[in-house]
Amino acid sequence: MGKKLALGDLLGTFLIPTLIGKSLILYFGLNYSSNPGEGYGTGLVISILFTAVMVGRFLWKYRDYDDS
């Protein structure tokens, strides 16, 4: 049986992908749409991958924890 989670444990793993990742997606997405072909597409893809990896890392790290 897994361990129980505290709110503080989840706070850091939630804030990094949410605040940093989504901010980067917004920044590169807006710049890519207004200036296509200037390299913002690469930054957009990297920021999407960063967010996906961080969410995957969260799911993998807390896969054995019990929520009851």
Side-chain angles (χ1 to χ4, degrees):
M1 190 153 30
K3 302 175 188 174
K4 288 199 166 206
L5 289 175
L7 183 61
D9 295 335
L10 299 174
L11 201 56
T13 55
F14 172 74
L15 288 178
I16 291 172
T18 302
L19 296 178
I20 296 172
K22 303 292 190 294
S23 298
L24 288 172
I25 290 172
L26 181 65
Y27 172 77
F28 285 115
L30 288 173
N31 282 321
Y32 177 68
S33 64
S34 64
N35 302 314
E38 294 187 17
Y40 290 110
T42 305
L44 180 60
V45 170
I46 290 171
S47 61
I48 290 171
L49 288 174
F50 170 76
T51 303
V53 166
M54 292 301 289
V55 169
R57 179 183 162 271
F58 168 77
L59 292 174
W60 184 258
K61 184 175 181 180
Y62 296 111
R63 71 187 180 278
D64 293 330
Y65 283 82
D66 187 14
D67 63 347
S68 58

